[in-house]
Amino acid sequence: MGRTGDTRERIVRTSARLLLSRSYGSVSVDDVCTAADVRKGSFYHFFPSKAELAKAVVDLHTDALIDRLAATSGESAAARLHGVADAVGAIQARFESTFGRVVGCPFGNLAAELSTVDDALRDHLASAFARWEREFAVICHRAQQDGALRDGVDPDRLAHSLLAHTQGQILLAKVGGHSAADVATTLHDLIDVHLREGAV
Amino acid sequence: MGRTGDTRERIVRTSARLLLSRSYGSVSVDDVCTAADVRKGSFYHFFPSKAELAKAVVDLHTDALIDRLAATSGESAAARLHGVADAVGAIQARFESTFGRVVGCPFGNLAAELSTVDDALRDHLASAFARWEREFAVICHRAQQDGALRDGVDPDRLAHSLLAHTQGQILLAKVGGHSAADVATTLHDLIDVHLREGAV
DNA sequence: GCGCTAGTTGACCGGTCGGTCAACGGAAAT
DNA sequence: ATTTCCGTTGACCGACCGGTCAACTAGCGC
């Protein structure tokens, strides 16, 4: 075996930061290399292309998100639903304090920019979103079993709706210059209208 | 005066098409010029920069959207609310048939990609979204006056929520390969949960 | 201590990027 | 008919893009 280092990880983490602060198109491989203090040859030793780097960044965020959702607990399913909104709010708040403003969702940003440009990356993002939605759906189904959902509310549709709302809300906050706290608030509102009155 | 032509308009319309089918970063000025059969010098006669072209494209879509919303009528405010969902669905369906798949919202795509990159463009998009949201809000307020809204539903928040939902739903359809019809359906669902039962 | 190999380096490449410019052309106003 | 000036043209620019490569180096297994 040859030597071992943290170069690859440094590249991914640095890219994650740069991709949040700007767009995929405006972040060059040279930018990444400079910021990560890595020579370009090393970059292409680990990644066959810039697009593959983007996938790695998506994976990084996916893992982080799943971890945080797993840590989200609450007595009732209804409370766990609100916990999801809190998790999203917390992540966005961290980004906001790091970059000084809402910079968007790591998945949503890449999805909007590259879904029509790179099919492989779109697939990758679709999988990430699907996984995310499945996590939501599990909680929504439990909420329904608990009788916390309003009549006629389909748990799968609610999960999808929740995800869409999250994406849209973050996007609007990003372009409108709103705060991460507002994102969480409107998310809580959406959950409330789907819950039976009095449910906790 | 010198001669007059449709060059500028041809540039804008061609760009609108290209920007929907791909991303801002992946569409070069040369691409636009080739597709519009315009020489680059002419392009820069009308637009000081590529970013200014993007603004013009945003304006084009804004006008089209406002026109369509104005044409949306219905007996009751509740029906007009659903008419908004239909309008969005119709626009997306047209894009879908043109490009063979859901390609995203013209505003949302640019907002996601460029909000963190170009401040002037972000402002421009923020104004477009604000105008859009105001149109929604008027209808939501009327619905409330008609007593069609569920108790505790704030019309302004509903308008914002509707916009966010639209954006998120379109984004998810784009990355997930869903159809424009699904977007409209989920939008109708969202409206229904905010309406008092039995309201039309 | 030696060989293997994963990791590193920096020079290099062709193409494309957004943008510039001086010269030219043609319709409208006089 | 001449002036005027918006519109048009195509050659041109330096910077930067993503990506390549041959030579080199340092650590692990032996």
Side-chain angles (χ1 to χ4, degrees):
Chain A
M1 294 284 184
R3 49 193 158 153
T4 308
D6 64 335
T7 307
R8 201 195 119 101
E9 195 191 335
R10 221 165 59 240
I11 292 173
V12 176
R13 301 197 90 89
T14 303
S15 301
R17 180 164 40 87
L18 288 179
L19 285 179
L20 274 172
S21 71
R22 285 137 68 192
S23 68
Y24 178 85
S26 74
V27 172
S28 72
V29 175
D30 283 319
D31 288 339
V32 170
C33 289
T34 300
D37 192 32
V38 165
R39 256 45 58 194
K40 210 195 270 198
S42 287
F43 177 95
Y44 281 99
H45 174 72
F46 291 105
F47 302 97
S49 69
K50 188 188 175 187
E52 285 299 318
L53 167 68
K55 287 191 196 171
V57 170
V58 168
D59 291 338
L60 178 76
H61 286 296
T62 300
D63 292 343
L65 179 69
I66 298 294
D67 281 356
R68 194 179 282 255
L69 287 183
T72 298
S73 60
E75 286 84 48
S76 67
R80 285 194 65 197
L81 227 37
H82 280 291
V84 167
D86 288 332
V88 170
I91 291 172
Q92 285 295 317
R94 213 192 72 224
F95 291 161
E96 187 178 33
S97 75
T98 301
F99 299 102
R101 66 163 178 278
V102 171
V103 291
C105 166
F107 306 102
N109 290 351
L110 290 173
E113 182 174 357
L114 301 171
S115 284
T116 52
V117 175
D118 187 315
D119 270 343
L121 194 47
R122 195 198 59 209
D123 280 349
H124 205 81
L125 284 161
S127 299
F129 275 126
R131 193 171 164 195
W132 190 352
E133 190 172 335
R134 239 178 289 127
E135 298 279 335
F136 280 11
V138 168
I139 303 178
C140 291
H141 273 281
R142 188 144 325 168
Q144 192 190 39
Q145 284 164 17
D146 291 358
L149 256 46
R150 208 182 273 275
D151 289 336
V153 173
D154 178 70
D156 288 318
R157 285 193 178 193
L158 176 56
H160 189 74
S161 192
L162 219 52
L163 184 55
H165 214 81
T166 302
Q167 288 299 317
Q169 209 66 250
I170 293 174
L171 178 65
L172 290 182
K174 177 183 172 183
V175 58
H178 309 138
S179 86
D182 292 340
V183 173
T185 301
T186 51
L187 225 45
H188 282 297
D189 285 349
L190 178 76
I191 293 170
D192 282 331
V193 293
H194 286 89
L195 290 180
R196 203 183 289 281
E197 283 169 55
V200 185
Chain B
M1 289 284 184
R3 47 190 161 160
T4 308
D6 64 335
T7 307
R8 201 196 119 102
E9 195 191 336
R10 223 166 59 240
I11 293 174
V12 176
R13 301 197 89 89
T14 303
S15 301
R17 180 164 40 87
L18 289 180
L19 285 179
L20 273 172
S21 70
R22 284 140 66 197
S23 68
Y24 177 85
S26 74
V27 172
S28 70
V29 175
D30 282 320
D31 289 338
V32 171
C33 289
T34 300
D37 191 33
V38 164
R39 259 45 60 194
K40 211 195 272 199
S42 287
F43 177 95
Y44 280 99
H45 174 71
F46 291 105
F47 302 98
S49 70
K50 189 187 175 188
E52 286 299 319
L53 167 68
K55 286 191 196 170
V57 171
V58 169
D59 290 339
L60 179 75
H61 286 295
T62 301
D63 291 344
L65 179 68
I66 297 295
D67 281 354
R68 193 178 285 253
L69 286 183
T72 298
S73 60
E75 285 83 49
S76 67
R80 286 193 65 195
L81 227 36
H82 280 291
V84 167
D86 288 331
V88 170
I91 291 172
Q92 285 295 315
R94 213 192 71 222
F95 291 161
E96 188 179 32
S97 74
T98 302
F99 300 103
R101 65 161 177 280
V102 171
V103 292
C105 165
F107 308 101
N109 290 351
L110 290 173
E113 182 173 356
L114 301 171
S115 284
T116 51
V117 175
D118 187 315
D119 270 344
L121 193 47
R122 196 198 58 210
D123 280 349
H124 205 80
L125 284 161
S127 298
F129 275 126
R131 192 170 164 194
W132 190 351
E133 190 172 334
R134 238 177 290 126
E135 298 281 333
F136 280 11
V138 169
I139 303 177
C140 291
H141 273 281
R142 188 147 323 170
Q144 193 191 38
Q145 285 164 15
D146 292 357
L149 258 43
R150 210 183 270 278
D151 289 336
V153 174
D154 178 70
D156 287 320
R157 285 195 178 192
L158 176 56
H160 189 74
S161 192
L162 219 52
L163 183 56
H165 214 81
T166 303
Q167 288 299 316
Q169 210 66 250
I170 293 174
L171 177 65
L172 290 181
K174 176 183 174 182
V175 58
H178 309 138
S179 86
D182 292 341
V183 173
T185 302
T186 51
L187 225 46
H188 282 297
D189 285 350
L190 179 75
I191 293 170
D192 281 331
V193 292
H194 286 89
L195 291 180
R196 203 182 290 280
E197 283 168 57
V200 183

